[in-house]
Amino acid sequence: MSAPAGARGSAREEVLARLRAGRDAGAPRTAPGPVPRDYARRGAHDPGSPGALDLLVERVEDYRATVTRVARPGDVAGVVARLLGDAGSVAVPPGADRAWLTGIGGRGAVVHVDGDPRPLTTADLDRVDAVVTGAAVAVAETGTLVLDAAAGDQGRRLLTLVPDHHVCVVRAEDVVGTVPEALARLDPLHPLTFVSGPSATSDIELDRVEGVHGPRRLDVVLVG
Amino acid sequence: MSTTDLPTPTVRPAHAPAGTGHLRGTRPFPAEARDALANTQLRRNLGKATGVIRAKRAAVVDEVPDWEALRRSGSAIKADVMARLPELLEQLEAAVTARGGVVHWARDAAEANAIVLDLVRAAGGDEVVKVKSMATQETGLNEALEAGGVAAWETDLAELIVQLGDDRPSHILVPAIHRNRSEIREIFLREMPDVDPDLTDEPRRLAMAARTHLRRKFLGAKVAVSGANFAVADTGTLSVVESEGNGRMCLTLPETLITLMGVEKVVPTWSDLEVFLQLLPRSSTGERMNPYTSTWTGVTPGDGPQAFHLVLMDNGRSGVLADPDGREALHCIRCSACLNVCPVYERAGGHAYGSVYPGPIGAVLSPLLTGITGEDDVNASLPYASSLCGACFDACPVRIDIPNLLVQQRAASVESHHRPTGQDVAMRAARVAMTSAGRFRAAEKGLGLGRVLGGRSGRITALPWPASRWTASRDVPVPPAETARDWFARTRPGRER
Amino acid sequence: MRIAVMATCLGDAVAPQAVRATVELLERLGHDVVFPPGQTCCGQMHVNTGYLREALPVVRHATEVFGPVADGEWDAVVAPSGSCTGCVRHQHAMVARRGGDEALAVRAEAVAARTYELSELLVDVLGVTDVGAYYPHRVTYHPTCHSLRMLRVGDKPLQLLRAVRGLELVELPDAEVCCGFGGTFALKNADTSTAMLADKMSAVLSTGAEVCSAGDSSCLLHIGGGLGRLRTGVRTVHLAEVLASTEATQTPSARSLAAGVAAGVPRTETGEDPAADPTEEAPV
């Protein structure tokens, strides 16, 4: 079944030549005009506004994730400690705000920092109970958090994938209304993960089951 | 990398060659559908599942005030892609290469499979984990890998159910939609070596059994194979849209990632995703957003696979592009909304279409990709697997005029005939009758015979073939004693015009 | 207004009662109705079965016959059919262009611009929703696929039905789902078509209606053929017939009831002599 090695080299030229011929042969009678862009780029709520925050809370909770709102950054540690409960080990990306974890120190939970002293392996992460990260941007209308792997407080993609519990700290100013607003804030050259609730499947009779391969529990802490 | 010295001027757009992959079944649609319609369990499973997902989709689409504007935009972006497809692919290739990826080109399914097999072997793997992908189903990649000594593990729950059940997918989004929970429990008990023997048929328990079964594979896999929902030409960014996290596992943990995509999946710019990431989840799973969408660009040092291969496949797409009407089928973003609203799909199910692309879009995309070879080609029956009710167009997030494409592919079917069929003869006779009022009236007189068949009961309950296909389940009224034109001429003489 | 009626091939030969009702209704509303004698068929059967080349001369014939509407000789063409109107409006020019006849395509578009399905003509062009009809029956309405999704008639037929005196309109569950007719689909995929019909019949029966109405005789023939086979006693009646009914036509003999023992049965079957049909004496 394998094509001869010599033929492979010409596949690129042949496919492109076929597509050029197809593009011309099938060209529509009238050339298409410019792409209409009359959809809403902004939603009803300004980024970071009370309306956007309320909508985000409603939409995230709709996915059966939890949202806890705190007024000041200083209040995060207490909430994180409560959400982590009796977790014995917690992973964090290298740029995470260490103040987030000050509430769990007293219980002897072990904190693993990715890259300090060495990058955490998949096996390491398979043994931790939870991960705590920030987020690059959140979309109120869809209840989506976007993690930018190049951002220090969000970290490499496997950090938020292998552990079974993800606590995500979102700053109010990073909450936008719509998907277009979110994409405009992101750098496509960075690996990005759009997270809308805990992992889920509807593959069995369309019954939604939360938690398959990704974290089965997602808790959001909304600051400000 | 020069684009000017083309091999020869004789290169033509091509259909997908027969022999490799899953774009054709073995029996015509009506025969497959007859069997499926008699399967009570299948009918129940399909009716329930499509009903649920239709309601979910309707609810989340209704809450988007600019839905129609998004549809028009999505349609126009795709039309623009088709007009610039070769250029956009070259741009994509350059961007992926600049970011450390390797781009391969495949003329057809066999070549795509061979490229992937060679890459897996070169990476030193004898097994791969797979993200659900229509492109790799289309090429029959799993069988090709198996034949080459490489085990392919499907990691999407529904694909796993299909693979373990030695079954075929029957839906683009929910490939095991034809199975209910008790059937799935039986498959898991039979096929998963490490499964809890007390497994119940509760969906949560079944999903957790799949999690346990696959977790070791994910954590140990060296090579992953995925498809792509979108590829952004100007940045080289690839995107996979999923729910379970199996996609993230495959895209993140292995050392090598191989992505196979049809060439039509390219979009021009990053900001174009703002349209499709709104249209796709709501149309597909009926959610505001799917749980996980991953985007990546080439290789990122220290994060994720350190080797990335992108295989760009034609396999009939150039042939579809060359069809001025048919190229619209390449706009499809594989959401499956048209399947869920189709009254034919809901009753006959996905297997009846033979191809991996079922439902209304499959009924046009499959014959467009393969071409129709003649009156005996099973794909010639697919465009007729529709009552042309139009529900598919209304549901399509990129406004593909599927009813028109069905008609056009019916024409392609008719025009492929090597010898006149009975239908050809009847249609020719009807054309003759319908191009002259005199001949038409003469034909109407023939209907008078029906008054004899009906007798005094006023209904006809049995007619000879082919009309017996109607009277098997429906009566026919006795033809009236007077046609409308005769009534008008009699009651309003001289006012016909 | 001067209005040409497009009987449609099915309406002329098999379901003339809907054509007659259309003529009588429009005349009752004070319009001048003509019946172009050269008319045959819109070509939909050929188009939708994939015989686009065979359809070309049929489309050319139809465009010639109804061409005077494009020249202003008539104000409008009306068809008691959503699917035939849809074929004229959305397929005629396509067939012509595919056959390389641009002049025919342009002419067909001009004809299509003044060709209307009955409820469109009444509500959009003539601006009337209460046509003065009387129909004392429990009725459910099936919105046919092509009127709904090709022509987008929306709730115009329901607006018309709600204004009919004596009529009790009951909502049809899953109304917008196809009945399974689909032209040659009913023959080529008879099993799937029958499965769809079964569900449509269940929905109709669940309403407890005496009458199932629609704007296409073809779909009514299909639904009525099934309801008749099962001896449900539910009749199928074209929207035009409901709207054409008045106190005068609802005489004690209740002609339409007498005629409609079995669903889908044309009225004329009760009398061999069409001249004996009481509607002929009804004032127009």
mmCIF file of all heavy atoms in Angstrom, chain B residues 89-123:
data_model
loop_
_atom_site.group_PDB
_atom_site.id
_atom_site.type_symbol
_atom_site.label_atom_id
_atom_site.label_comp_id
_atom_site.label_asym_id
_atom_site.label_seq_id
_atom_site.Cartn_x
_atom_site.Cartn_y
_atom_site.Cartn_z
ATOM 1 N N LEU B 89 -2.676 27.012 1.758
ATOM 2 C CA LEU B 89 -1.953 25.819 2.216
ATOM 3 C C LEU B 89 -0.448 26.060 2.199
ATOM 4 O O LEU B 89 0.276 25.621 3.097
ATOM 5 C CB LEU B 89 -2.322 24.618 1.344
ATOM 6 C CG LEU B 89 -3.759 24.121 1.521
ATOM 7 C CD1 LEU B 89 -4.107 23.125 0.418
ATOM 8 C CD2 LEU B 89 -3.957 23.482 2.897
ATOM 9 N N GLU B 90 0.023 26.763 1.184
ATOM 10 C CA GLU B 90 1.456 27.079 1.156
ATOM 11 C C GLU B 90 1.834 28.003 2.322
ATOM 12 O O GLU B 90 2.889 27.856 2.934
ATOM 13 C CB GLU B 90 1.809 27.734 -0.190
ATOM 14 C CG GLU B 90 1.793 26.725 -1.341
ATOM 15 C CD GLU B 90 2.143 27.360 -2.676
ATOM 16 O OE1 GLU B 90 1.299 28.112 -3.211
ATOM 17 O OE2 GLU B 90 3.251 27.106 -3.170
ATOM 18 N N GLN B 91 0.932 28.929 2.625
ATOM 19 C CA GLN B 91 1.169 29.829 3.756
ATOM 20 C C GLN B 91 1.191 29.038 5.067
ATOM 21 O O GLN B 91 2.055 29.250 5.922
ATOM 22 C CB GLN B 91 0.050 30.882 3.770
ATOM 23 C CG GLN B 91 0.352 32.102 4.613
ATOM 24 C CD GLN B 91 -0.848 33.057 4.688
ATOM 25 O OE1 GLN B 91 -1.902 32.806 4.078
ATOM 26 N NE2 GLN B 91 -0.690 34.135 5.423
ATOM 27 N N LEU B 92 0.242 28.119 5.189
ATOM 28 C CA LEU B 92 0.189 27.271 6.381
ATOM 29 C C LEU B 92 1.469 26.451 6.516
ATOM 30 O O LEU B 92 2.064 26.362 7.588
ATOM 31 C CB LEU B 92 -1.032 26.340 6.293
ATOM 32 C CG LEU B 92 -1.146 25.276 7.386
ATOM 33 C CD1 LEU B 92 -1.450 25.916 8.742
ATOM 34 C CD2 LEU B 92 -2.243 24.255 7.048
ATOM 35 N N GLU B 93 1.886 25.877 5.411
ATOM 36 C CA GLU B 93 3.098 25.049 5.423
ATOM 37 C C GLU B 93 4.302 25.861 5.906
ATOM 38 O O GLU B 93 5.081 25.411 6.758
ATOM 39 C CB GLU B 93 3.359 24.516 4.005
ATOM 40 C CG GLU B 93 4.645 23.706 3.881
ATOM 41 C CD GLU B 93 4.956 23.363 2.424
ATOM 42 O OE1 GLU B 93 4.867 24.268 1.570
ATOM 43 O OE2 GLU B 93 5.273 22.197 2.149
ATOM 44 N N ALA B 94 4.418 27.080 5.372
ATOM 45 C CA ALA B 94 5.556 27.916 5.747
ATOM 46 C C ALA B 94 5.507 28.260 7.235
ATOM 47 O O ALA B 94 6.536 28.221 7.932
ATOM 48 C CB ALA B 94 5.550 29.188 4.897
ATOM 49 N N ALA B 95 4.313 28.581 7.738
ATOM 50 C CA ALA B 95 4.200 28.982 9.144
ATOM 51 C C ALA B 95 4.477 27.807 10.083
ATOM 52 O O ALA B 95 5.148 27.962 11.114
ATOM 53 C CB ALA B 95 2.808 29.553 9.401
ATOM 54 N N VAL B 96 3.962 26.621 9.733
ATOM 55 C CA VAL B 96 4.190 25.441 10.585
ATOM 56 C C VAL B 96 5.680 25.086 10.581
ATOM 57 O O VAL B 96 6.272 24.785 11.625
ATOM 58 C CB VAL B 96 3.333 24.250 10.100
ATOM 59 C CG1 VAL B 96 3.749 22.957 10.797
ATOM 60 C CG2 VAL B 96 1.855 24.525 10.339
ATOM 61 N N THR B 97 6.271 25.135 9.400
ATOM 62 C CA THR B 97 7.693 24.795 9.282
ATOM 63 C C THR B 97 8.545 25.774 10.088
ATOM 64 O O THR B 97 9.489 25.371 10.792
ATOM 65 C CB THR B 97 8.104 24.824 7.791
ATOM 66 O OG1 THR B 97 7.209 23.990 7.046
ATOM 67 C CG2 THR B 97 9.519 24.316 7.616
ATOM 68 N N ALA B 98 8.189 27.049 10.011
ATOM 69 C CA ALA B 98 8.969 28.062 10.741
ATOM 70 C C ALA B 98 8.926 27.839 12.249
ATOM 71 O O ALA B 98 9.841 28.239 12.974
ATOM 72 C CB ALA B 98 8.437 29.454 10.399
ATOM 73 N N ARG B 99 7.878 27.175 12.714
ATOM 74 C CA ARG B 99 7.738 26.951 14.160
ATOM 75 C C ARG B 99 8.148 25.533 14.551
ATOM 76 O O ARG B 99 7.772 25.038 15.611
ATOM 77 C CB ARG B 99 6.288 27.204 14.578
ATOM 78 C CG ARG B 99 5.847 28.647 14.404
ATOM 79 C CD ARG B 99 6.370 29.557 15.487
ATOM 80 N NE ARG B 99 5.883 29.127 16.804
ATOM 81 C CZ ARG B 99 6.192 29.703 17.963
ATOM 82 N NH1 ARG B 99 7.002 30.728 17.976
ATOM 83 N NH2 ARG B 99 5.705 29.247 19.093
ATOM 84 N N GLY B 100 8.894 24.875 13.685
ATOM 85 C CA GLY B 100 9.476 23.591 14.071
ATOM 86 C C GLY B 100 8.663 22.364 13.698
ATOM 87 O O GLY B 100 9.030 21.249 14.067
ATOM 88 N N GLY B 101 7.547 22.536 12.977
ATOM 89 C CA GLY B 101 6.773 21.388 12.529
ATOM 90 C C GLY B 101 7.255 20.905 11.168
ATOM 91 O O GLY B 101 8.014 21.599 10.487
ATOM 92 N N VAL B 102 6.838 19.699 10.797
ATOM 93 C CA VAL B 102 7.191 19.144 9.489
ATOM 94 C C VAL B 102 5.888 18.883 8.731
ATOM 95 O O VAL B 102 4.974 18.249 9.270
ATOM 96 C CB VAL B 102 7.983 17.824 9.643
ATOM 97 C CG1 VAL B 102 8.392 17.297 8.264
ATOM 98 C CG2 VAL B 102 9.206 18.032 10.526
ATOM 99 N N VAL B 103 5.820 19.369 7.505
ATOM 100 C CA VAL B 103 4.585 19.235 6.731
ATOM 101 C C VAL B 103 4.764 18.189 5.638
ATOM 102 O O VAL B 103 5.790 18.160 4.960
ATOM 103 C CB VAL B 103 4.172 20.596 6.120
ATOM 104 C CG1 VAL B 103 2.937 20.438 5.225
ATOM 105 C CG2 VAL B 103 3.902 21.601 7.227
ATOM 106 N N HIS B 104 3.771 17.311 5.512
ATOM 107 C CA HIS B 104 3.764 16.247 4.501
ATOM 108 C C HIS B 104 2.512 16.420 3.655
ATOM 109 O O HIS B 104 1.503 16.938 4.129
ATOM 110 C CB HIS B 104 3.733 14.866 5.173
ATOM 111 C CG HIS B 104 4.776 14.690 6.229
ATOM 112 N ND1 HIS B 104 5.962 14.022 6.030
ATOM 113 C CD2 HIS B 104 4.815 15.125 7.521
ATOM 114 C CE1 HIS B 104 6.679 14.030 7.141
ATOM 115 N NE2 HIS B 104 6.006 14.695 8.063
ATOM 116 N N TRP B 105 2.584 15.930 2.420
ATOM 117 C CA TRP B 105 1.436 16.043 1.507
ATOM 118 C C TRP B 105 1.052 14.647 1.043
ATOM 119 O O TRP B 105 1.913 13.843 0.702
ATOM 120 C CB TRP B 105 1.795 16.910 0.297
ATOM 121 C CG TRP B 105 2.187 18.317 0.663
ATOM 122 C CD1 TRP B 105 3.363 18.720 1.232
ATOM 123 C CD2 TRP B 105 1.397 19.503 0.509
ATOM 124 N NE1 TRP B 105 3.363 20.085 1.433
ATOM 125 C CE2 TRP B 105 2.161 20.585 0.991
ATOM 126 C CE3 TRP B 105 0.117 19.752 -0.002
ATOM 127 C CZ2 TRP B 105 1.689 21.899 0.985
ATOM 128 C CZ3 TRP B 105 -0.344 21.062 -0.013
ATOM 129 C CH2 TRP B 105 0.428 22.124 0.485
ATOM 130 N N ALA B 106 -0.255 14.417 0.997
ATOM 131 C CA ALA B 106 -0.734 13.095 0.578
ATOM 132 C C ALA B 106 -1.786 13.266 -0.502
ATOM 133 O O ALA B 106 -2.753 14.007 -0.328
ATOM 134 C CB ALA B 106 -1.326 12.346 1.767
ATOM 135 N N ARG B 107 -1.593 12.558 -1.620
ATOM 136 C CA ARG B 107 -2.555 12.648 -2.720
ATOM 137 C C ARG B 107 -3.859 11.929 -2.381
ATOM 138 O O ARG B 107 -4.919 12.305 -2.838
ATOM 139 C CB ARG B 107 -1.955 12.031 -3.984
ATOM 140 C CG ARG B 107 -1.014 12.972 -4.717
ATOM 141 C CD ARG B 107 -0.192 12.247 -5.750
ATOM 142 N NE ARG B 107 0.915 11.576 -5.102
ATOM 143 C CZ ARG B 107 2.144 11.493 -5.612
ATOM 144 N NH1 ARG B 107 2.412 12.017 -6.791
ATOM 145 N NH2 ARG B 107 3.109 10.881 -4.958
ATOM 146 N N ASP B 108 -3.748 10.865 -1.600
ATOM 147 C CA ASP B 108 -4.948 10.059 -1.336
ATOM 148 C C ASP B 108 -4.794 9.333 -0.005
ATOM 149 O O ASP B 108 -3.801 9.498 0.704
ATOM 150 C CB ASP B 108 -5.187 9.075 -2.482
ATOM 151 C CG ASP B 108 -3.952 8.250 -2.785
ATOM 152 O OD1 ASP B 108 -3.267 7.840 -1.815
ATOM 153 O OD2 ASP B 108 -3.649 8.035 -3.972
ATOM 154 N N ALA B 109 -5.811 8.521 0.298
ATOM 155 C CA ALA B 109 -5.865 7.841 1.593
ATOM 156 C C ALA B 109 -4.679 6.895 1.780
ATOM 157 O O ALA B 109 -4.060 6.852 2.849
ATOM 158 C CB ALA B 109 -7.181 7.072 1.714
ATOM 159 N N ALA B 110 -4.345 6.151 0.739
ATOM 160 C CA ALA B 110 -3.267 5.178 0.864
ATOM 161 C C ALA B 110 -1.945 5.881 1.164
ATOM 162 O O ALA B 110 -1.158 5.440 2.014
ATOM 163 C CB ALA B 110 -3.157 4.359 -0.426
ATOM 164 N N GLU B 111 -1.736 7.006 0.500
ATOM 165 C CA GLU B 111 -0.494 7.735 0.724
ATOM 166 C C GLU B 111 -0.467 8.349 2.132
ATOM 167 O O GLU B 111 0.561 8.333 2.811
ATOM 168 C CB GLU B 111 -0.329 8.823 -0.340
ATOM 169 C CG GLU B 111 1.063 9.429 -0.359
ATOM 170 C CD GLU B 111 1.332 10.267 -1.614
ATOM 171 O OE1 GLU B 111 0.393 10.904 -2.142
ATOM 172 O OE2 GLU B 111 2.484 10.267 -2.080
ATOM 173 N N ALA B 112 -1.596 8.861 2.567
ATOM 174 C CA ALA B 112 -1.670 9.425 3.916
ATOM 175 C C ALA B 112 -1.370 8.353 4.960
ATOM 176 O O ALA B 112 -0.589 8.573 5.905
ATOM 177 C CB ALA B 112 -3.055 10.029 4.161
ATOM 178 N N ASN B 113 -1.969 7.188 4.800
ATOM 179 C CA ASN B 113 -1.736 6.096 5.747
ATOM 180 C C ASN B 113 -0.270 5.687 5.759
ATOM 181 O O ASN B 113 0.317 5.430 6.822
ATOM 182 C CB ASN B 113 -2.600 4.883 5.389
ATOM 183 C CG ASN B 113 -4.078 5.132 5.631
ATOM 184 O OD1 ASN B 113 -4.451 6.079 6.331
ATOM 185 N ND2 ASN B 113 -4.923 4.287 5.058
ATOM 186 N N ALA B 114 0.339 5.633 4.572
ATOM 187 C CA ALA B 114 1.741 5.214 4.470
ATOM 188 C C ALA B 114 2.652 6.231 5.157
ATOM 189 O O ALA B 114 3.607 5.855 5.857
ATOM 190 C CB ALA B 114 2.119 5.057 2.996
ATOM 191 N N ILE B 115 2.345 7.503 4.980
ATOM 192 C CA ILE B 115 3.159 8.547 5.623
ATOM 193 C C ILE B 115 3.077 8.409 7.138
ATOM 194 O O ILE B 115 4.095 8.435 7.841
ATOM 195 C CB ILE B 115 2.669 9.949 5.175
ATOM 196 C CG1 ILE B 115 3.013 10.185 3.699
ATOM 197 C CG2 ILE B 115 3.294 11.034 6.043
ATOM 198 C CD1 ILE B 115 2.332 11.413 3.090
ATOM 199 N N VAL B 116 1.861 8.231 7.653
ATOM 200 C CA VAL B 116 1.696 8.124 9.108
ATOM 201 C C VAL B 116 2.416 6.881 9.630
ATOM 202 O O VAL B 116 3.140 6.940 10.641
ATOM 203 C CB VAL B 116 0.203 8.094 9.491
ATOM 204 C CG1 VAL B 116 0.038 7.856 10.988
ATOM 205 C CG2 VAL B 116 -0.482 9.399 9.082
ATOM 206 N N LEU B 117 2.262 5.763 8.934
ATOM 207 C CA LEU B 117 2.917 4.529 9.389
ATOM 208 C C LEU B 117 4.434 4.708 9.442
ATOM 209 O O LEU B 117 5.085 4.322 10.425
ATOM 210 C CB LEU B 117 2.534 3.367 8.460
ATOM 211 C CG LEU B 117 3.163 2.006 8.791
ATOM 212 C CD1 LEU B 117 2.777 1.552 10.195
ATOM 213 C CD2 LEU B 117 2.733 0.953 7.766
ATOM 214 N N ASP B 118 5.000 5.310 8.397
ATOM 215 C CA ASP B 118 6.445 5.543 8.375
ATOM 216 C C ASP B 118 6.879 6.443 9.533
ATOM 217 O O ASP B 118 7.907 6.213 10.162
ATOM 218 C CB ASP B 118 6.862 6.196 7.044
ATOM 219 C CG ASP B 118 6.862 5.192 5.898
ATOM 220 O OD1 ASP B 118 6.622 3.992 6.162
ATOM 221 O OD2 ASP B 118 7.097 5.609 4.747
ATOM 222 N N LEU B 119 6.075 7.468 9.811
ATOM 223 C CA LEU B 119 6.424 8.396 10.896
ATOM 224 C C LEU B 119 6.371 7.701 12.247
ATOM 225 O O LEU B 119 7.217 7.937 13.117
ATOM 226 C CB LEU B 119 5.470 9.604 10.881
ATOM 227 C CG LEU B 119 5.639 10.584 9.715
ATOM 228 C CD1 LEU B 119 4.489 11.599 9.698
ATOM 229 C CD2 LEU B 119 6.993 11.312 9.814
ATOM 230 N N VAL B 120 5.370 6.842 12.431
ATOM 231 C CA VAL B 120 5.250 6.127 13.709
ATOM 232 C C VAL B 120 6.456 5.205 13.889
ATOM 233 O O VAL B 120 7.071 5.150 14.956
ATOM 234 C CB VAL B 120 3.943 5.308 13.769
ATOM 235 C CG1 VAL B 120 3.896 4.464 15.038
ATOM 236 C CG2 VAL B 120 2.735 6.226 13.692
ATOM 237 N N ARG B 121 6.804 4.506 12.828
ATOM 238 C CA ARG B 121 7.965 3.602 12.905
ATOM 239 C C ARG B 121 9.239 4.391 13.198
ATOM 240 O O ARG B 121 10.065 3.983 14.013
ATOM 241 C CB ARG B 121 8.122 2.842 11.598
ATOM 242 C CG ARG B 121 7.114 1.712 11.454
ATOM 243 C CD ARG B 121 7.266 1.056 10.096
ATOM 244 N NE ARG B 121 6.453 -0.147 9.995
ATOM 245 C CZ ARG B 121 6.045 -0.641 8.835
ATOM 246 N NH1 ARG B 121 6.394 -0.051 7.690
ATOM 247 N NH2 ARG B 121 5.310 -1.726 8.804
ATOM 248 N N ALA B 122 9.385 5.532 12.535
ATOM 249 C CA ALA B 122 10.588 6.340 12.731
ATOM 250 C C ALA B 122 10.667 6.851 14.164
ATOM 251 O O ALA B 122 11.752 7.040 14.712
ATOM 252 C CB ALA B 122 10.579 7.511 11.746
ATOM 253 N N ALA B 123 9.509 7.064 14.789
ATOM 254 C CA ALA B 123 9.488 7.532 16.174
ATOM 255 C C ALA B 123 9.709 6.379 17.145
ATOM 256 O O ALA B 123 9.744 6.582 18.364
ATOM 257 C CB ALA B 123 8.158 8.222 16.463
#
